[in-house]
Amino acid sequence: GHMLASLVRRPAIDSKLLFFVILAVGGGALMVFSSSYSQAVFRVQRDASYFWDRQLLWIAIGFVVMLFLSSLNYHFLERYALPGLIILCVLLVFVWLFGESKLGAVRTFLSGSVQPGELAKLVVVIYYFLTRNMLADCIHRIFDSLFSVWNSVF
């Protein structure tokens, strides 16, 4: 009960940010339709809106996930930042050593079922915000110390 309550919060919606996210996602979806129309008809032998329909489905799923994640108190993820970064580095070494080449790029292993680059997106963002906060605290302490020394001398 209490732990769940500490993780869930009522999000304040930034309407400008939401507008630009919807604008970017809508523009991207239109580009998917525009660029995949002929692929769907001639190569995949499907309806012209095949890729558009799939894109809309994933947009809807993404929107629901966004709403759920926006209600979480993300600070609990900070304890997983460093272990996640270490695991990510190990996985990237595995890709380097045992990765499989597809279309001239090596980004997966285990027949494409493991893609550390996808995990990297999440882990790097979490680690960045953790270290940014730690670095800001450190800089504040240094300046506070220098300021107190300055005041005691002068």
Side-chain angles (χ1 to χ4, degrees):
H2 177 65
M3 173 134 172
L4 184 61
S6 68
L7 292 178
V8 178
R9 62 182 171 80
R10 185 171 182 164
I13 296 176
D14 183 345
S15 57
K16 289 180 186 174
L17 178 62
L18 182 61
F19 170 76
F20 284 111
V21 166
I22 291 171
L23 188 67
V25 169
L30 286 174
M31 288 183 209
V32 165
F33 179 72
S34 174
S35 64
S36 66
Y37 180 86
S38 62
Q39 285 278 56
V41 173
F42 299 114
R43 271 188 117 181
V44 186
Q45 304 291 319
R46 302 277 181 135
D47 180 45
S49 65
Y50 173 71
F51 293 112
W52 166 260
D53 295 340
R54 290 177 54 114
Q55 187 74 11
L56 290 181
L57 172 66
W58 284 107
I59 288 171
I61 292 170
F63 190 75
V64 169
V65 169
M66 178 187 73
L67 289 175
F68 170 72
L69 291 177
S70 70
S71 68
L72 289 181
N73 181 358
Y74 60 89
H75 293 288
F76 80 96
L77 292 173
E78 289 178 350
R79 75 175 72 117
Y80 302 111
L82 187 58
L85 191 63
I86 292 168
I87 291 169
L88 175 64
C89 288
V90 169
L91 289 173
L92 289 173
V93 168
F94 277 19
V95 167
W96 181 54
L97 295 174
F98 309 112
E100 300 154 3
S101 178
K102 281 188 177 178
L103 302 173
V106 179
R107 57 176 77 97
T108 67
F109 59 93
L110 297 177
S111 300
S113 62
V114 179
Q115 295 181 337
E118 298 304 315
L119 178 63
K121 296 170 189 173
L122 176 65
V123 170
V124 168
V125 167
I126 293 169
Y127 190 77
Y128 166 75
F129 282 106
L130 171 67
T131 56
R132 184 188 73 151
N133 290 339
M134 290 170 52
L135 182 62
D137 291 344
C138 182
I139 289 171
H140 283 283
R141 276 182 277 158
I142 290 170
F143 277 112
D144 288 345
S145 299
L146 290 174
F147 190 68
S148 66
V149 168
W150 178 268
N151 282 338
S152 66
V153 171
F154 299 104

